[in-house]
Amino acid sequence: MILNVDLESEVPIYQQLRDRIMEAIAAGLLVEGSSLPATRTLAADFGINFHTVNKAYDLLRQQGLIRLNRKTGAVVTATSADSPFRADWTARVRTLLAEAIAMGVPVDEVLKTCQFVLDSFGTAQREDAP
Amino acid sequence: MILNVDLESEVPIYQQLRDRIMEAIAAGLLVEGSSLPATRTLAADFGINFHTVNKAYDLLRQQGLIRLNRKTGAVVTATSADSPFRADWTARVRTLLAEAIAMGVPVDEVLKTCQFVLDSFGTAQREDAP
DNA sequence: CTATTTGTTCTATAACTAATAGAGCAAAGG
DNA sequence: CCTTTGCTCTATTAGTTATAGAACAAATAG
């Protein structure tokens, strides 16, 4: 598990961490039951404060993507996107797709990019088959 | 042009304004040459400070979506998404799509939602035909 | 030409967020 | 028992968000 975090980015570190972990889950690199590194370990790897990692993990926990146990650490859980999540997510995707269209990217190219990204998740080596 | 801005949202007002205007451009409700309200006017409409509107307009100008002229005000411009923009946008859409997949939304449903959103832009009454 | 409208710039302030830091508590497991 | 690990508390520094007021600059309308 290599998480690519840019300490110079304008995007907050805790958010980048959350995003990268979500992407790893989406790609199947992390599956139900996978363990995440301990907050202090991950913080040491990136040379950042463990409170920052803690915040990222807490966001993922609030969203139901991971479970946090003492001693065991952070473990990926099975999730079911509920209706409020879907509504919120659709609103966010509407804004992001609108940006591309407004900037002059053709509709079919936007859709193809989405398809390409989704395919890239599928083609990652996943190990969820029993 | 009705912009739906939620003053109670955790999303910054200037960002909501920027997002709604981008969505209006994507939907064709605003086309090349369309005028946006004056900063002070729009601020008065929402009961917010004109500096907040200014910031939203400034973001849109930096992105090349509008032109700002003294006296004439803000005018929508034709834009061409360059390669850096597309790379950045693809990275952002990857994160957002990953979130839905990680939350357990099926791939085909994610793609259908994207298609639905893109269609909703297309079906808005546009007036760009000469 | 004059006056007004509109964007632009400057300083300032209060409230909040991001990130760091250190200390210590609580529980789960070897 | 004791180590590991999440969790909580307080604190500080730096940056962001939103508000506010004042003044300047240019382009248009009359």
Side-chain angles (χ1 to χ4, degrees):
Chain A
M1 261 288 299
I2 298 154
L3 298 177
N4 203 347
V5 170
D6 178 11
L7 302 181
E8 306 305 314
S9 167
E10 77 288 350
V11 180
I13 298 174
Y14 75 91
Q15 201 178 305
Q16 289 185 58
L17 275 172
R18 188 200 70 130
D19 290 349
R20 292 303 89 75
I21 292 168
M22 278 196 324
E23 285 165 21
I25 294 174
L29 298 171
L30 293 173
V31 297
E32 188 181 351
S34 297
S35 288
L36 294 179
T39 52
R40 288 169 175 86
T41 307
L42 198 52
D45 287 352
F46 287 119
I48 59 176
N49 197 277
F50 81 94
H51 288 106
T52 307
V53 179
N54 208 357
K55 188 162 183 179
Y57 279 16
D58 195 53
L59 283 179
L60 291 164
R61 184 188 56 77
Q62 280 177 38
Q63 201 157 1
L65 284 170
I66 64 175
R67 203 160 10 93
L68 294 171
N69 305 314
R70 292 172 203 271
K71 188 67 183 174
T72 319
V75 177
V76 177
T77 61
T79 52
S80 58
D82 58 357
S83 163
F85 170 81
R86 291 181 194 225
D88 177 74
W89 185 83
T90 302
R92 281 185 286 149
V93 90
R94 163 167 283 116
T95 301
L96 190 53
L97 295 182
E99 183 173 348
I101 301 299
M103 287 295 287
V105 183
V107 172
D108 61 334
E109 192 182 320
V110 170
L111 195 60
K112 272 181 186 162
T113 303
C114 293
Q115 207 150 14
F116 172 78
V117 168
L118 289 170
D119 284 352
S120 79
F121 294 150
T123 52
Q125 62 278 24
R126 45 179 75 228
E127 43 211 311
D128 45 358
Chain B
M1 261 286 299
I2 297 152
L3 299 177
N4 202 347
V5 170
D6 177 12
L7 301 181
E8 306 305 313
S9 168
E10 78 288 349
V11 180
I13 299 173
Y14 76 91
Q15 200 178 303
Q16 289 185 58
L17 275 172
R18 188 201 71 130
D19 290 350
R20 294 301 89 74
I21 292 169
M22 278 197 323
E23 285 166 22
I25 294 175
L29 299 172
L30 293 174
V31 297
E32 188 180 350
S34 296
S35 288
L36 294 178
T39 52
R40 288 170 176 85
T41 308
L42 198 52
D45 287 353
F46 288 119
I48 60 177
N49 196 276
F50 82 94
H51 289 105
T52 306
V53 179
N54 209 356
K55 188 161 185 179
Y57 279 17
D58 195 53
L59 283 179
L60 292 165
R61 184 188 56 77
Q62 280 177 38
Q63 200 157 3
L65 284 171
I66 65 176
R67 204 162 8 96
L68 294 172
N69 305 313
R70 292 173 203 272
K71 189 66 185 177
T72 319
V75 178
V76 176
T77 61
T79 52
S80 57
D82 59 359
S83 164
F85 169 81
R86 289 181 195 225
D88 177 73
W89 184 84
T90 302
R92 281 185 283 148
V93 90
R94 162 165 284 115
T95 300
L96 190 53
L97 295 181
E99 183 173 347
I101 301 298
M103 287 296 287
V105 183
V107 172
D108 61 331
E109 191 182 321
V110 170
L111 196 60
K112 270 181 187 162
T113 303
C114 292
Q115 207 148 16
F116 172 77
V117 169
L118 288 170
D119 284 351
S120 78
F121 294 149
T123 51
Q125 63 278 22
R126 45 180 75 228
E127 44 211 310
D128 45 356

